[in-house]
Amino acid sequence: MTNVAFVALACGLIIGLGAIGACFGIAIVGGKYIEASARQPELMNPLQTKLFLLAGLIDAAFLIGVGIAMLFAFANPFIEPLAR
């Protein structure tokens, strides 16, 4: 396998595993929000604010991974320049 193949494999792993992790994280946070709001309905609004903040942070971590994968895919520093 060449360096380009390894970079493509790494980009796929970064994006795929990041998406799975973000989905699990948002699902767990959402489930805990439903449980907490069922137990104490008067705290629903403050908990909803925290839920959206955490969902944004989880999603931001995934998008940073996508950005790093795209950096390696399109501006790869590991591929030797063709003009030497």
Side-chain angles (χ1 to χ4, degrees):
M1 291 179 74
T2 63
N3 285 344
V4 177
F6 283 126
V7 169
L9 184 64
C11 290
L13 285 173
I14 289 171
I15 293 172
L17 293 176
I20 290 171
C23 289
F24 281 139
I26 290 176
I28 290 170
V29 169
K32 295 295 180 179
Y33 167 72
I34 296 293
E35 289 177 11
S37 61
R39 288 182 184 166
Q40 294 183 340
E42 66 273 4
L43 293 178
M44 193 178 260
N45 288 334
L47 289 175
Q48 187 177 21
T49 304
K50 289 176 178 64
L51 167 79
F52 287 139
L53 179 66
L54 285 174
L57 290 173
I58 292 169
D59 202 33
F62 165 65
L63 290 177
I64 289 170
V66 170
I68 291 171
M70 292 298 111
L71 171 73
F72 286 140
F74 295 114
N76 191 355
F78 300 116
I79 296 176
E80 294 180 28
L82 296 176
R84 277 202 172 204

Coordinates of all heavy atoms in Angstrom, one line a residue:
M1 N 0.8 -1.2 0.0 CA 0.0 0.0 0.0 C 0.9 1.2 0.0 O 1.9 1.3 0.6 CB -0.9 0.0 1.2 CG -2.0 -1.1 1.2 SD -3.1 -1.1 2.6 CE -4.1 0.3 2.3
T2 N 0.4 2.3 -0.7 CA 1.2 3.5 -0.7 C 0.7 4.4 0.4 O -0.2 4.2 1.1 CB 0.9 4.2 -2.1 OG1 -0.5 4.5 -2.2 CG2 1.3 3.2 -3.3
N3 N 1.5 5.5 0.5 CA 1.1 6.6 1.5 C -0.3 7.1 1.2 O -1.0 7.4 2.2 CB 2.2 7.7 1.4 CG 3.5 7.3 2.1 OD1 3.5 6.3 2.8 ND2 4.5 8.1 1.8
V4 N -0.6 7.3 0.0 CA -2.0 7.8 -0.3 C -3.1 6.9 0.2 O -4.1 7.4 0.7 CB -2.1 8.1 -1.9 CG1 -3.5 8.6 -2.2 CG2 -1.0 9.1 -2.3
A5 N -2.8 5.6 0.0 CA -3.8 4.7 0.5 C -4.0 4.7 2.0 O -5.1 4.6 2.6 CB -3.5 3.3 0.1
F6 N -2.8 4.8 2.7 CA -2.9 4.9 4.2 C -3.6 6.2 4.6 O -4.3 6.2 5.6 CB -1.5 4.8 4.8 CG -0.9 3.4 4.8 CD1 0.3 3.1 4.2 CD2 -1.6 2.4 5.4 CE1 0.8 1.9 4.3 CE2 -1.1 1.1 5.4 CZ 0.1 0.8 4.8
V7 N -3.3 7.3 3.9 CA -4.0 8.5 4.3 C -5.5 8.4 4.1 O -6.3 8.9 4.9 CB -3.4 9.7 3.5 CG1 -4.2 11.0 3.6 CG2 -1.9 10.0 3.9
A8 N -5.9 7.8 3.0 CA -7.3 7.6 2.7 C -8.0 6.8 3.8 O -9.1 7.1 4.3 CB -7.6 7.0 1.4
L9 N -7.3 5.7 4.2 CA -7.8 4.8 5.3 C -7.9 5.6 6.6 O -8.9 5.5 7.3 CB -6.9 3.6 5.4 CG -7.3 2.6 6.4 CD1 -8.6 1.9 5.9 CD2 -6.2 1.5 6.5
A10 N -6.8 6.4 6.9 CA -6.8 7.1 8.2 C -8.0 8.2 8.2 O -8.6 8.4 9.2 CB -5.5 7.8 8.4
C11 N -8.2 8.8 7.0 CA -9.3 9.8 7.0 C -10.6 9.2 7.2 O -11.5 9.7 7.9 CB -9.2 10.6 5.6 SG -7.8 11.7 5.4
G12 N -10.8 8.0 6.6 CA -12.1 7.3 6.8 C -12.3 6.9 8.2 O -13.4 7.0 8.8
L13 N -11.2 6.4 8.9 CA -11.3 6.1 10.3 C -11.6 7.3 11.2 O -12.4 7.2 12.1 CB -10.0 5.4 10.7 CG -9.9 3.9 10.2 CD1 -8.5 3.4 10.6 CD2 -10.9 3.0 10.8
I14 N -10.9 8.4 10.9 CA -11.1 9.6 11.7 C -12.6 10.0 11.6 O -13.2 10.3 12.6 CB -10.2 10.7 11.3 CG1 -8.8 10.4 11.7 CG2 -10.6 12.1 11.9 CD1 -7.7 11.4 11.1
I15 N -13.1 10.1 10.4 CA -14.5 10.6 10.2 C -15.5 9.5 10.8 O -16.5 9.9 11.5 CB -14.8 10.9 8.7 CG1 -13.9 12.1 8.3 CG2 -16.2 11.2 8.5 CD1 -13.9 12.4 6.8
G16 N -15.3 8.3 10.5 CA -16.2 7.2 10.9 C -16.3 7.1 12.4 O -17.4 7.0 13.0
L17 N -15.1 6.9 13.0 CA -15.1 6.8 14.5 C -15.6 8.0 15.2 O -16.3 7.9 16.2 CB -13.8 6.3 14.9 CG -13.3 5.0 14.5 CD1 -11.9 4.7 14.9 CD2 -14.2 3.9 15.0
G18 N -15.3 9.2 14.6 CA -15.8 10.4 15.2 C -17.3 10.6 15.1 O -17.9 11.0 16.1
A19 N -17.8 10.1 14.0 CA -19.3 10.2 13.9 C -20.0 9.2 14.8 O -21.0 9.5 15.5 CB -19.7 9.8 12.4
I20 N -19.4 8.0 15.0 CA -20.0 7.1 15.9 C -19.9 7.6 17.4 O -20.9 7.5 18.1 CB -19.3 5.7 15.8 CG1 -19.6 5.0 14.5 CG2 -19.6 4.8 17.0 CD1 -18.8 3.8 14.1
G21 N -18.8 8.1 17.7 CA -18.6 8.7 19.1 C -19.5 9.9 19.3 O -20.1 10.0 20.4
A22 N -19.7 10.7 18.3 CA -20.6 11.9 18.5 C -22.1 11.4 18.6 O -22.8 11.9 19.5 CB -20.5 12.8 17.3
C23 N -22.4 10.4 17.9 CA -23.8 9.9 18.0 C -24.1 9.3 19.3 O -25.1 9.5 19.9 CB -24.1 8.9 16.9 SG -24.2 9.6 15.2
F24 N -23.1 8.5 19.8 CA -23.3 7.9 21.1 C -23.3 8.9 22.2 O -24.1 8.9 23.2 CB -22.2 6.9 21.4 CG -22.4 5.5 20.8 CD1 -21.3 4.9 20.2 CD2 -23.7 4.9 20.7 CE1 -21.5 3.6 19.6 CE2 -23.9 3.7 20.1 CZ -22.8 3.1 19.6
G25 N -22.5 9.9 22.1 CA -22.4 11.0 23.1 C -23.7 11.8 23.2 O -24.3 12.1 24.2
I26 N -24.2 12.2 22.0 CA -25.5 13.0 22.0 C -26.7 12.1 22.5 O -27.6 12.6 23.1 CB -25.7 13.6 20.6 CG1 -24.7 14.6 20.3 CG2 -27.1 14.1 20.4 CD1 -24.7 15.2 19.0
A27 N -26.6 10.8 22.1 CA -27.7 9.9 22.6 C -27.7 9.8 24.1 O -28.8 9.8 24.7 CB -27.6 8.6 21.9
I28 N -26.5 9.6 24.7 CA -26.4 9.5 26.1 C -26.9 10.8 26.8 O -27.6 10.8 27.8 CB -25.0 9.1 26.5 CG1 -24.7 7.6 26.1 CG2 -24.8 9.2 28.0 CD1 -23.3 7.2 26.2
V29 N -26.4 11.9 26.3 CA -26.8 13.2 26.9 C -28.3 13.4 26.8 O -28.9 13.9 27.7 CB -26.0 14.4 26.3 CG1 -26.5 15.7 26.7 CG2 -24.5 14.3 26.7
G30 N -28.8 13.1 25.6 CA -30.3 13.3 25.4 C -31.1 12.4 26.3 O -32.1 12.8 26.9
G31 N -30.6 11.1 26.5 CA -31.3 10.2 27.4 C -31.3 10.7 28.8 O -32.3 10.6 29.6
K32 N -30.2 11.2 29.3 CA -30.1 11.7 30.6 C -30.9 12.9 30.8 O -31.5 13.1 31.9 CB -28.6 12.0 31.0 CG -27.7 10.7 31.0 CD -28.1 9.8 32.1 CE -27.2 8.6 32.1 NZ -27.5 7.6 33.1
Y33 N -31.0 13.7 29.8 CA -31.9 14.9 29.9 C -33.4 14.5 30.1 O -34.1 15.1 30.9 CB -31.7 15.8 28.6 CG -32.8 16.8 28.5 CD1 -32.8 17.9 29.4 CD2 -33.8 16.7 27.6 CE1 -33.8 18.9 29.3 CE2 -34.8 17.7 27.5 CZ -34.8 18.8 28.3 OH -35.8 19.7 28.2
I34 N -33.8 13.5 29.3 CA -35.2 13.0 29.4 C -35.4 12.5 30.8 O -36.5 12.7 31.4 CB -35.5 11.9 28.3 CG1 -35.4 12.5 27.0 CG2 -36.8 11.3 28.6 CD1 -36.4 13.5 26.6
E35 N -34.4 11.7 31.3 CA -34.6 11.1 32.7 C -34.7 12.3 33.7 O -35.5 12.2 34.6 CB -33.4 10.2 33.0 CG -33.4 8.9 32.3 CD -32.2 8.1 32.6 OE1 -31.4 8.5 33.6 OE2 -32.0 7.1 31.9
A36 N -33.8 13.2 33.6 CA -33.7 14.3 34.6 C -35.0 15.2 34.5 O -35.5 15.6 35.6 CB -32.5 15.2 34.4
S37 N -35.5 15.5 33.3 CA -36.7 16.3 33.2 C -37.9 15.5 33.7 O -38.9 16.1 34.1 CB -36.8 16.8 31.8 OG -37.0 15.8 30.9
A38 N -37.9 14.2 33.6 CA -39.0 13.4 34.1 C -39.1 13.4 35.6 O -40.1 13.4 36.2 CB -39.0 12.0 33.5
R39 N -37.9 13.4 36.2 CA -37.8 13.4 37.7 C -38.1 14.8 38.3 O -38.8 14.9 39.3 CB -36.4 13.0 38.1 CG -36.2 11.5 37.9 CD -34.9 11.1 38.4 NE -34.6 9.7 38.1 CZ -33.5 9.1 38.2 NH1 -32.4 9.8 38.6 NH2 -33.3 7.9 37.9
Q40 N -37.6 15.9 37.6 CA -37.8 17.2 38.1 C -38.2 18.1 37.0 O -37.4 18.8 36.4 CB -36.6 17.7 38.8 CG -36.2 17.0 40.1 CD -35.0 17.6 40.8 OE1 -34.2 18.3 40.2 NE2 -34.9 17.3 42.0
P41 N -39.5 18.2 36.7 CA -39.9 19.0 35.5 C -39.7 20.5 35.7 O -39.6 21.2 34.6 CB -41.4 18.7 35.4 CG -41.7 17.6 36.4 CD -40.6 17.5 37.3
E42 N -39.5 21.0 36.9 CA -39.3 22.4 37.0 C -37.9 22.8 36.6 O -37.6 24.0 36.4 CB -39.5 22.8 38.5 CG -38.5 22.2 39.5 CD -38.9 20.9 40.0 OE1 -40.0 20.3 39.6 OE2 -38.2 20.4 40.9
L43 N -37.0 21.9 36.5 CA -35.6 22.2 36.0 C -35.4 22.0 34.5 O -34.3 21.9 34.0 CB -34.6 21.3 36.7 CG -34.4 21.6 38.2 CD1 -33.5 20.6 38.8 CD2 -34.0 23.0 38.5
M44 N -36.6 21.8 33.8 CA -36.5 21.5 32.4 C -35.8 22.6 31.5 O -34.9 22.3 30.7 CB -37.9 21.3 31.8 CG -37.9 20.6 30.5 SD -39.6 20.3 30.0 CE -39.8 18.6 30.4
N45 N -36.0 23.8 31.8 CA -35.4 24.9 31.0 C -33.9 25.0 31.2 O -33.1 25.1 30.3 CB -36.1 26.2 31.2 CG -37.5 26.3 30.6 OD1 -37.7 25.6 29.6 ND2 -38.4 27.1 31.1
P46 N -33.4 25.1 32.5 CA -32.0 25.1 32.7 C -31.3 23.9 32.1 O -30.2 24.0 31.6 CB -31.8 25.2 34.2 CG -33.1 25.7 34.7 CD -34.1 25.2 33.8
L47 N -31.9 22.7 32.3 CA -31.3 21.5 31.8 C -31.2 21.5 30.2 O -30.3 21.0 29.6 CB -32.0 20.3 32.3 CG -31.9 19.9 33.7 CD1 -32.7 18.8 34.1 CD2 -30.4 19.6 34.1
Q48 N -32.3 22.1 29.6 CA -32.3 22.1 28.1 C -31.2 23.0 27.6 O -30.5 22.7 26.6 CB -33.6 22.7 27.7 CG -33.8 22.6 26.2 CD -35.2 23.1 25.7 OE1 -35.9 23.8 26.5 NE2 -35.6 22.7 24.6
T49 N -30.9 24.1 28.3 CA -29.8 25.0 27.9 C -28.4 24.2 28.0 O -27.6 24.3 27.1 CB -29.7 26.2 28.9 OG1 -30.9 26.9 28.8 CG2 -28.6 27.1 28.4
K50 N -28.3 23.5 29.1 CA -27.0 22.7 29.2 C -27.0 21.5 28.2 O -25.9 21.2 27.7 CB -26.9 22.1 30.6 CG -26.7 23.2 31.6 CD -26.7 22.6 33.0 CE -26.4 23.6 34.1 NZ -27.3 24.7 34.2
L51 N -28.1 21.0 27.8 CA -28.2 19.9 26.8 C -27.7 20.4 25.5 O -26.9 19.8 24.8 CB -29.6 19.4 26.7 CG -29.9 18.5 25.5 CD1 -29.3 17.1 25.7 CD2 -31.3 18.5 25.1
F52 N -28.2 21.6 25.1 CA -27.8 22.1 23.8 C -26.4 22.6 23.8 O -25.7 22.4 22.7 CB -28.7 23.3 23.4 CG -30.1 22.9 23.0 CD1 -31.2 23.6 23.4 CD2 -30.3 21.7 22.2 CE1 -32.5 23.2 23.0 CE2 -31.6 21.3 21.8 CZ -32.7 22.1 22.2
L53 N -25.9 23.1 24.9 CA -24.4 23.4 25.0 C -23.6 22.2 24.8 O -22.6 22.2 24.0 CB -24.2 24.1 26.3 CG -22.7 24.5 26.5 CD1 -22.3 25.6 25.6 CD2 -22.6 25.0 28.0
L54 N -23.9 21.1 25.5 CA -23.1 19.9 25.4 C -23.2 19.2 24.0 O -22.3 18.7 23.5 CB -23.5 18.9 26.5 CG -23.1 19.3 27.9 CD1 -23.6 18.3 28.9 CD2 -21.5 19.2 28.0
A55 N -24.4 19.3 23.4 CA -24.6 18.7 22.1 C -23.7 19.5 21.1 O -23.1 18.9 20.2 CB -26.0 18.7 21.7
G56 N -23.7 20.8 21.2 CA -22.8 21.6 20.4 C -21.3 21.3 20.5 O -20.6 21.2 19.6
L57 N -20.9 21.1 21.8 CA -19.5 20.8 22.0 C -19.2 19.4 21.5 O -18.1 19.2 20.9 CB -19.2 20.9 23.5 CG -19.2 22.3 24.1 CD1 -19.0 22.2 25.6 CD2 -18.1 23.1 23.5
I58 N -20.1 18.4 21.7 CA -19.8 17.1 21.1 C -19.7 17.1 19.6 O -18.8 16.5 19.0 CB -20.9 16.1 21.6 CG1 -20.8 15.9 23.1 CG2 -20.8 14.8 20.9 CD1 -21.9 15.1 23.7
D59 N -20.6 17.9 19.0 CA -20.6 18.0 17.5 C -19.4 18.8 17.0 O -18.9 18.5 16.0 CB -21.9 18.6 17.1 CG -22.3 18.3 15.6 OD1 -21.9 17.2 15.2 OD2 -22.8 19.2 15.0
A60 N -19.0 19.7 17.8 CA -17.8 20.5 17.4 C -16.5 19.6 17.4 O -15.7 19.8 16.6 CB -17.6 21.7 18.4
A61 N -16.4 18.7 18.4 CA -15.3 17.8 18.4 C -15.3 16.9 17.2 O -14.2 16.7 16.6 CB -15.3 17.0 19.7
F62 N -16.4 16.5 16.8 CA -16.5 15.7 15.5 C -16.1 16.5 14.3 O -15.4 16.0 13.5 CB -17.9 15.1 15.4 CG -18.2 14.6 14.0 CD1 -17.5 13.5 13.5 CD2 -19.2 15.2 13.2 CE1 -17.8 13.0 12.2 CE2 -19.4 14.7 11.9 CZ -18.7 13.6 11.4
L63 N -16.6 17.7 14.3 CA -16.3 18.6 13.1 C -14.8 18.9 13.0 O -14.2 19.1 12.0 CB -17.2 19.8 13.1 CG -18.6 19.5 12.8 CD1 -19.5 20.8 12.8 CD2 -18.8 18.9 11.4
I64 N -14.2 19.1 14.2 CA -12.7 19.3 14.2 C -12.0 18.1 13.6 O -11.0 18.2 12.8 CB -12.2 19.6 15.6 CG1 -12.7 21.0 16.0 CG2 -10.7 19.5 15.7 CD1 -12.5 21.3 17.5
G65 N -12.5 16.9 14.0 CA -11.9 15.7 13.4 C -12.1 15.6 11.9 O -11.2 15.2 11.1
V66 N -13.2 16.0 11.4 CA -13.5 16.1 9.9 C -12.6 17.1 9.3 O -12.0 16.8 8.2 CB -15.0 16.5 9.6 CG1 -15.2 16.8 8.2 CG2 -15.9 15.3 10.1
G67 N -12.3 18.2 9.9 CA -11.4 19.2 9.4 C -10.0 18.7 9.3 O -9.3 18.9 8.3
I68 N -9.5 18.0 10.3 CA -8.2 17.4 10.3 C -8.1 16.3 9.2 O -7.1 16.3 8.5 CB -7.8 16.8 11.7 CG1 -7.7 18.0 12.7 CG2 -6.6 16.0 11.6 CD1 -7.5 17.5 14.1
A69 N -9.2 15.5 9.0 CA -9.2 14.5 8.0 C -9.1 15.2 6.6 O -8.4 14.7 5.7 CB -10.4 13.6 8.1
M70 N -9.9 16.3 6.4 CA -9.8 17.0 5.1 C -8.5 17.6 4.9 O -8.0 17.7 3.7 CB -10.9 18.0 5.1 CG -12.3 17.4 5.0 SD -12.6 16.4 3.6 CE -12.8 14.8 4.3
L71 N -7.8 18.1 5.9 CA -6.5 18.6 5.8 C -5.5 17.6 5.3 O -4.8 17.8 4.3 CB -6.0 19.1 7.1 CG -4.5 19.6 7.2 CD1 -4.3 20.9 6.4 CD2 -4.0 19.7 8.6
F72 N -5.6 16.4 5.8 CA -4.7 15.3 5.4 C -5.1 14.8 4.0 O -4.3 14.3 3.2 CB -4.7 14.1 6.4 CG -3.9 14.4 7.6 CD1 -4.4 14.0 8.8 CD2 -2.7 15.1 7.6 CE1 -3.7 14.2 10.0 CE2 -2.0 15.3 8.7 CZ -2.5 14.9 9.9
A73 N -6.4 14.9 3.7 CA -6.8 14.4 2.3 C -6.4 15.3 1.2 O -6.1 14.9 0.1 CB -8.4 14.2 2.4
F74 N -6.5 16.6 1.4 CA -6.3 17.6 0.3 C -5.0 18.3 0.4 O -4.5 18.7 -0.6 CB -7.5 18.6 0.3 CG -8.8 17.9 -0.1 CD1 -9.8 17.9 0.9 CD2 -9.0 17.4 -1.3 CE1 -11.0 17.3 0.6 CE2 -10.2 16.7 -1.6 CZ -11.2 16.7 -0.7
A75 N -4.4 18.5 1.6 CA -3.1 19.2 1.7 C -2.2 18.4 2.5 O -1.7 18.8 3.6 CB -3.3 20.6 2.3
N76 N -2.0 17.2 2.1 CA -1.3 16.2 2.8 C 0.2 16.5 3.0 O 0.9 16.5 1.9 CB -1.5 14.8 2.2 CG -1.0 13.7 3.1 OD1 -0.4 13.9 4.1 ND2 -1.2 12.5 2.7
P77 N 0.7 16.7 4.2 CA 2.1 17.0 4.3 C 3.0 15.7 4.2 O 4.2 15.8 4.1 CB 2.2 17.6 5.7 CG 1.1 17.0 6.4 CD 0.0 16.8 5.4
F78 N 2.4 14.5 4.2 CA 3.2 13.3 4.2 C 3.5 12.8 2.8 O 4.3 11.9 2.6 CB 2.4 12.2 4.9 CG 2.2 12.6 6.4 CD1 0.9 12.7 6.9 CD2 3.3 12.8 7.2 CE1 0.7 13.1 8.2 CE2 3.1 13.1 8.5 CZ 1.8 13.3 9.0
I79 N 2.8 13.4 1.7 CA 3.1 13.0 0.4 C 4.2 13.8 -0.1 O 4.2 15.0 0.0 CB 1.8 13.2 -0.5 CG1 0.7 12.3 -0.1 CG2 2.2 12.9 -2.0 CD1 -0.6 12.4 -0.8
E80 N 5.2 13.2 -0.7 CA 6.3 13.9 -1.2 C 5.9 14.8 -2.4 O 5.1 14.4 -3.2 CB 7.4 12.9 -1.7 CG 8.0 12.1 -0.6 CD 9.1 11.2 -1.1 OE1 9.7 11.5 -2.2 OE2 9.3 10.1 -0.5
P81 N 6.5 16.0 -2.4 CA 6.1 16.9 -3.5 C 6.6 16.3 -4.9 O 7.7 15.7 -4.9 CB 6.9 18.2 -3.2 CG 7.3 18.1 -1.8 CD 7.3 16.6 -1.4
L82 N 5.8 16.5 -5.9 CA 6.2 15.9 -7.2 C 7.3 16.7 -7.9 O 8.1 16.1 -8.6 CB 5.0 16.0 -8.1 CG 3.8 15.1 -7.7 CD1 2.6 15.3 -8.6 CD2 4.2 13.6 -7.6
A83 N 7.4 18.0 -7.6 CA 8.5 18.8 -8.2 C 9.7 18.8 -7.3 O 9.8 19.6 -6.3 CB 8.0 20.2 -8.5
R84 N 10.7 18.0 -7.6 CA 11.9 18.0 -6.8 C 13.1 18.3 -7.7 O 13.3 17.9 -8.7 CB 12.1 16.7 -6.1 CG 11.4 16.7 -4.8 CD 11.9 15.7 -3.9 NE 11.3 15.9 -2.6 CZ 11.8 15.6 -1.5 NH1 13.0 15.0 -1.4 NH2 11.2 15.7 -0.4

